[in-house]
């Protein structure tokens, strides 16, 4: 979720669910080592639990970046072996590392030796013409032997040749059964699933087969679905969600960000889909999209947009 799940997005999502584990956007190891660390790695303690996702292919650099991340307070370090974008391929990391599982294992081993927090891997079921049965098993065998604490699997191939990053999120068919088979092969290891999961209910259904379910675009574009996550995970009925309190919290957060030199739109751009499907949602989106980016825009824009939404009769399940 590069350029999407920044610290403002994560703070917002944490207001919707206390239990879900949040992940950063992918940070390249070189950037974590040599870049402006507070800008790249800083986060609000209120975001916890939160995991840092790293990109890279050099074990020593990933180990150093993992150490830095642990020092910032992240509770998990995740190695991305699934992103198919052109810029990660040019850096020899992301999904192209599915072709070099021994190198991935070396990276995991170096990271494990450097930190005390869990080290996890996120991958695809294969790339290009790889056989997903052999490719995924080989990668899993090697990273678990190297000490990986969990493997998250995006349940579709990545086509590094012939498809754009956007097409790679939609065109290769989903194969959830392949991930379920991996879990059967590794009953005592944490296997999580990702890819095309549209709702919290669908995620819960996957938990009959695997240990975790990860939502990406659905959580970003329709964040209101996260309001019911905690209740469903606890097996209890959903309760009404206090959206007014949420808006007050986000307005205060935005005001503090603006006082530090930021802009309102840095925060509100992540909130546009909150009221998807409810009366007034179009006006909410319009106000945030048109007024939020203007110079000098303040938290009053957020409250004005909220005033346009009709929440009568809305429960957390409908949010």
């Amino acid at each position: 979720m590069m350029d999407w799940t920044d610290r403002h997005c994560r703070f917002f999502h944490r207001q919707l669910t206390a239990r879900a584990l949040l992940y950063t956007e992918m940070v390249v190891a070189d950037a974590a080592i040599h870049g402006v660390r507070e800008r790249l790695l800083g986060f609000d303690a209120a975001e916890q639990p939160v995991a840092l996702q790293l990109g890279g292919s050099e074990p020593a650099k990933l180990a150093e970046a993992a150490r830095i991340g642990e020092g910032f307070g992240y509770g998990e370090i995740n190695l991305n072996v699934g992103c198919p974008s052109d810029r990660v391929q040019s850096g020899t990391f992301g999904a192209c590392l599915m072709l070099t599982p021994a190198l991935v294992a070396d990276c995991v081993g170096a990271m494990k030796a450097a930190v005390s927090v869990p080290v996890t891997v996120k991958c695809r079921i294969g790339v290009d013409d790889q056989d997903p049965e052999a490719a995924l098993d080989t990668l899993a065998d090697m990273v678990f032997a190297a000490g990986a604490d969990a493997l998250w699997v995006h349940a579709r191939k990545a086509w590094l040749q012939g498809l754009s990053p956007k097409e790679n999120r939609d065109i290769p068919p989903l194969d959830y059964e392949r991930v379920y088979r991996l879990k059967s092969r590794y009953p005592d290891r944490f296997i999580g699933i990702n890819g095309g999961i549209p709702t919290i209910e669908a995620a819960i259904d996957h938990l009959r087969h695997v240990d975790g379910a990860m939502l990406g675009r659905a959580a970003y574009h329709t964040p209101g679905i996260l309001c019911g996550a905690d209740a469903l995970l606890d097996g209890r009925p959903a309760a009404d969600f206090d959206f007014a309190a949420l808006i007050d919290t986000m307005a205060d957060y935005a005001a503090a960000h603006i006082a530090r030199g930021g802009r309102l739109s840095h925060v509100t751009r992540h909130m546009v889909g909150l009221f998807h499907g409810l009366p007034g949602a179009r006006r909410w989106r319009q106000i945030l999209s048109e007024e939020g980016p203007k110079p000098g825009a303040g938290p009053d824009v957020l409250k004005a947009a909220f005033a346009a939404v009709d929440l009568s009769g809305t429960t957390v399940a409908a949010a």
Side-chain angles (χ1 to χ4, degrees), residues 78-288:
N78 177 263
L79 176 61
N80 186 305
V81 190
C83 181
S85 78
D86 295 337
R87 55 176 160 164
V88 300
Q89 288 186 57
S90 65
T92 319
F93 52 91
C96 62
L97 288 175
M98 293 287 298
L99 297 168
T100 55
L103 176 58
V104 177
D106 288 344
C107 293
V108 170
M111 295 163 71
K112 282 291 292 183
V115 299
S116 58
V117 297
V119 172
T120 64
V121 175
K122 184 173 184 288
C123 67
R124 294 279 184 132
I125 61 174
V127 297
D128 296 340
D129 293 321
Q130 282 186 319
D131 174 5
E133 295 299 323
L136 186 57
D137 279 353
T138 298
L139 183 75
D141 290 347
M142 290 189 172
V143 299
F144 283 136
D149 295 284
L151 183 61
W152 288 93
V153 185
H154 186 143
R156 54 164 55 99
K157 271 190 173 184
W159 286 93
L160 305 179
Q161 305 296 326
L163 292 181
S164 70
K166 181 179 185 301
E167 290 170 330
N168 261 298
R169 294 193 295 266
D170 298 302
I171 293 177
L174 286 160
D175 188 355
Y176 296 135
E177 293 294 331
R178 176 65 190 95
V179 187
Y180 298 164
R181 289 195 297 277
L182 182 69
K183 176 57 188 176
S184 296
R185 190 166 180 264
Y186 276 107
D188 298 323
R189 298 284 193 170
F190 185 104
I191 304 291
I193 199 167
N194 170 234
I197 302 175
T199 64
I200 297 298
E201 291 80 6
I204 297 294
D205 188 57
H206 282 297
L207 296 184
R208 296 187 297 111
H209 306 281
V210 292
D211 304 298
M214 181 182 289
L215 277 71
R217 284 175 292 161
Y220 188 89
H221 292 304
T222 54
I225 66 176
L226 297 176
C227 298
D230 294 350
L232 281 171
L233 287 170
D234 292 338
R236 55 183 169 83
D240 288 346
F241 188 84
D242 192 343
F243 286 102
L246 168 67
I247 298 303
D248 286 343
T249 297
M250 294 307 301
D252 290 344
Y253 177 85
H257 175 63
I258 292 168
R260 293 190 297 268
R263 299 174 68 101
L264 178 69
S265 58
H266 296 163
V267 177
T268 55
R269 73 185 185 97
H270 304 297
M271 303 177 64
V272 172
L274 177 60
F275 297 112
H276 176 77
L278 295 181
R282 181 178 181 182
R283 181 61 179 150
W284 159 269
R285 294 192 300 270
Q286 182 181 35
I287 293 172
L288 292 189

